[in-house]
Amino acid sequence: MAEIHRTTLEPTKLELLTDWLPGRPWYQGSGTPRPAKAGGFRLDDHAGEVGIEFMVVNDADASYLVPMTYRGTPLEGAEAGLIGTSEHGVLGKRWIYDGCHDPVLAAELAALFEGRVKAQAQSVSDQEDQDVQVSYEGAPLGEVRIETVEDGAHGTEVRLVGGAALRVRRVLSGAEASRDAGRLSGVWKRADGTEVRAPFISLHTDA
């Protein structure tokens, strides 16, 4: 299980997102963002090398899902997914990526859909996140590798070698998703304190 360190991160994740969010095609705000953490969960990289977090942030009247990975060295070929770098008080320099571009996140997310791993609490070490609900009605996905990443006005599609696709809802709402092979939902709090559950990610297959 990943250990969550109580230490500094300079600049912070929210400071990095302040600069990064306006360039996203699905960002609905104007002016300078003021993102505030509103929920999320983590996954463990069982090789112990990559931090994996799915963070929900509120900004103005919208809530966004931002999957992120944290690495000790740059990820080759993922320059388009780099959010920024930060200095961790324990681990040193970290390269922080939009997780949709990271093959480790894709593999662990596929394992979550298949029931081989559990979602972990965002801020507590070694604790399962009971608010994350996952359903999947398909065959094993086999080897998971990212083929393409497409960002659109409504979300991000991560197409995998083999034909499956992970569709990440970037702008969250309380609406239900359409029928699909797999679905992951979670809980977050809007700026007014209202707790909401809604789909975060759906899994689509060619079968």
Side-chain angles (χ1 to χ4, degrees), residues 29-170:
S30 59
T32 301
R34 299 183 63 184
K37 185 177 175 180
F41 66 97
R42 288 179 176 264
L43 292 176
D44 283 332
D45 166 26
H46 285 74
E49 296 295 328
V50 180
I52 304 171
E53 179 179 9
F54 293 77
M55 181 185 287
V56 180
V57 296
N58 292 327
D59 176 65
D61 296 326
S63 300
Y64 302 97
L65 176 63
V66 185
M68 290 185 281
T69 58
Y70 314 110
R71 288 175 166 267
T73 57
L75 174 59
E76 185 177 354
E79 292 79 9
L82 182 66
I83 295 174
T85 60
S86 188
E87 192 70 24
H88 190 280
V90 175
L91 302 175
K93 188 173 183 179
R94 309 300 286 172
W95 280 258
I96 300 178
Y97 289 91
D98 173 4
C100 291
H101 293 260
D102 198 313
V104 171
L105 181 142
E108 294 298 340
L109 189 55
L112 179 64
F113 272 106
E114 293 178 346
R116 294 185 283 113
V117 302
K118 299 291 185 182
Q120 300 297 308
Q122 189 175 27
S123 302
V124 182
S125 298
D126 301 337
Q127 181 172 306
E128 183 181 342
D129 189 333
Q130 300 286 348
D131 286 332
V132 175
Q133 297 180 356
V134 181
S135 62
Y136 177 57
E137 301 174 359
L141 296 171
E143 182 184 3
V144 173
R145 291 183 290 121
I146 294 174
E147 185 174 51
T148 57
V149 177
E150 296 183 4
D151 251 345
H154 302 291
T156 303
E157 179 171 286
V158 182
R159 182 153 289 277
L160 308 176
V161 172
L166 297 164
R167 294 178 182 170
V168 179
R169 283 193 171 197
R170 295 295 200 162

